[in-house]
Amino acid sequence: MVNLSFLIGYPFFWFLISLAVCVIIYLLNYKKIGLVLLFVSTIIGFGITPVGSEMFLESVSGVFVNKKMLCDPVSPPKSVIMLPGGLTSIGPEVLMTRWTASRVDWLNKYADSTNLVELILPGGDIYKDKKEGLYIKSKLDKQIFKSVDIKIGEGSYSTYSNLLEITDFNEGKMYGLVTSKWHGFRAIKVARKIGFDVCLLSEISNKEKLMLKEYPWAFKAALREYLAIAWYKLKGRI
């Protein structure tokens, strides 16, 4: 069942399946439908490459993020909200996903250079008995964060619920939002919708050095983000 879930969720297999169906339908003389599927297969095939996946991720932030959403680099906020990006595992060992790890690495550098005063972490999801917020806290540089007031929420599983769970920590001041660049638009729109005065700390790049097998997941993240933006818009959350 786990293997089947992997096959269904992994975009490389979307490409193989769509290409196979395309060939079969074309050979059955449904040429117009076959050509449409070939076009879809081509988009997926390009999207799962290093260049394609980066282009799709860049398109999310390029289309939606504007300068009014960004923090003033001259006077950056000393209170920050960092959104979790998931946990994963290799065997029994629980690890941060690359999205989470890049946010933590960036935050360590930011805190060291700006005299950070406060950090708010949603509790996030629970993965193999590990709560994201507590796990992230354990990976922060202890020397840099020893004087930072770290507040952690109760736990949640989505961008909307991540921000909703930390509303009790909102003191009405300006907060900097730390998340991946491609996720910034939806995150900041939700945060402002529920009452946070927040700006986007967008220096976290979409460009990451991944293993070849990981680029399809980046392509999937871009597609998922477009769908999530549309869904949140329909639900009135942004």
Side-chain angles (χ1 to χ4, degrees), residues 195-220:
F196 282 97
D197 188 7
V198 65
C199 57
L200 183 61
L201 293 165
S202 65
E203 288 88 345
I204 300 177
S205 174
N206 294 325
K207 300 178 182 179
E208 292 194 75
K209 293 181 180 179
L210 306 177
M211 290 186 288
L212 195 59
K213 65 181 181 181
E214 293 178 304
Y215 286 104
W217 294 119
F219 169 64
K220 184 179 179 180

Side-chain angles (χ1 to χ4, degrees), residues 131-169:
K131 184 179 286 188
E132 283 183 280
L134 291 172
Y135 188 86
I136 289 169
K137 181 182 178 182
S138 72
K139 297 301 178 181
L140 297 170
D141 188 304
K142 293 179 175 57
Q143 184 63 30
I144 295 173
F145 281 86
K146 65 181 180 180
S147 60
V148 176
D149 181 17
I150 301 177
K151 301 171 182 176
I152 302 177
E154 291 297 317
S156 54
Y157 62 91
S158 68
T159 299
Y160 179 73
S161 55
N162 280 171
L163 289 158
L164 202 60
E165 69 162 285
I166 59 172
T167 51
D168 287 346
F169 300 142

Side-chain angles (χ1 to χ4, degrees), residues 17 43-44 59 93 95 109 132 151 160 164 181 191 217:
I17 292 168
I43 292 175
I44 296 173
S59 71
E93 185 181 5
L95 303 166
K109 295 172 185 175
E132 283 183 280
K151 301 171 182 176
Y160 179 73
L164 202 60
K181 191 176 179 181
W217 294 119

